[in-house]
Amino acid sequence: MAKIGIYGGSFNPVHFGHLGLAQWVVEHTDLDAVWMMVSPNNPLKNRAILTDAHVRMAEVQAAINQIPNVKDKLIACGFEFHLPVPNYTANTLRELSKTYPEHEFTLLIGEDNWQIFDQWREYEYILDNYRVLVYPRHNESNHQCPTLNTKRVVFLSDAPYFNISSTEIRNSIL
């Protein structure tokens, strides 16, 4: 059974922080691969600032292609393109598990999302059925989401810090 990390996001735009974290995860955890799941319609994002989903998908693939020795380890994934919108992570994980029963899926999220995880749709389902790897953000003050059962949650405290965000990139070119 292959262990697959699901690293979802808008990737608007994809940057070296996304790629560096995904590469670090496949090199330093028990995951066999990380699927960079391009979300066509994240319910928490302003659609007006999103570049076309197919363009973002192509950019993620092109960025992965620039990294040596990650063939079959980092995968640009458009699985959500075929799911009903908006794209909720619980639905995506459920459909992935049905479509690929030979894989074990782990969710990879940033600490900013962990802080609000109890606001995600069906967050209990995710925690009951999937491991969650949390990438600590050094500017976040609290590593806990106090209302949640965290026995399947692992903080990637040894991961390198990538001080960049897609928002910063977009703001710098406007």
Side-chain angles (χ1 to χ4, degrees):
M1 178 170 285
K3 294 182 178 183
I4 308 297
I6 300 300
Y7 186 7
S10 299
F11 303 110
N12 188 46
V14 65
H15 54 70
F16 72 85
H18 296 130
L19 298 164
L21 176 60
Q23 185 174 4
W24 185 89
V25 166
V26 296
E27 291 174 351
H28 295 92
T29 71
D30 64 344
L31 295 180
D32 299 307
V34 171
W35 293 0
M36 296 182 70
M37 183 76 59
V38 178
S39 176
N41 181 23
N42 182 323
L44 300 176
K45 300 281 182 169
N46 178 353
R47 290 186 70 174
I49 64 168
L50 282 178
T51 302
D52 177 78
H54 295 283
V55 170
R56 290 183 282 121
M57 178 70 177
E59 290 172 347
V60 170
Q61 184 62 61
I64 290 171
N65 289 344
Q66 298 300 310
I67 304 171
N69 305 319
V70 296
K71 183 174 173 45
D72 300 325
K73 299 284 185 184
L74 299 184
I75 308 294
C77 184
F79 187 82
E80 286 187 340
F81 288 24
H82 308 290
L83 298 178
V85 294
N87 302 107
Y88 294 107
T89 301
N91 293 343
T92 300
L93 290 168
R94 188 178 287 112
E95 290 301 316
L96 283 167
S97 294
K98 286 180 192 172
T99 305
Y100 302 100
E102 70 279 12
H103 295 331
E104 176 183 313
F105 293 102
T106 296
L107 181 62
L108 175 61
I109 63 173
E111 188 171 4
D112 53 337
N113 277 309
W114 177 247
Q115 298 277 325
I116 60 166
F117 200 74
D118 58 352
Q119 297 172 32
W120 285 30
R121 183 173 292 226
E122 295 187 79
Y123 69 89
E124 301 98 336
Y125 167 80
I126 297 169
L127 291 175
D128 288 345
N129 293 282
Y130 302 93
R131 184 172 57 153
V132 179
L133 302 182
V134 179
Y135 172 62
R137 303 285 295 260
H138 293 273
N139 60 344
E140 301 295 327
S141 60
N142 180 7
H143 293 307
Q144 298 299 319
C145 190
T147 62
L148 302 183
N149 177 350
T150 59
K151 67 182 177 185
R152 295 179 62 104
V153 177
V154 177
F155 278 83
L156 302 173
S157 56
D158 294 335
Y161 178 59
F162 299 100
N163 189 19
I164 189 166
S165 74
S166 295
T167 301
E168 289 172 352
I169 293 170
R170 284 192 311 274
N171 289 343
S172 72
I173 59 175
L174 294 178

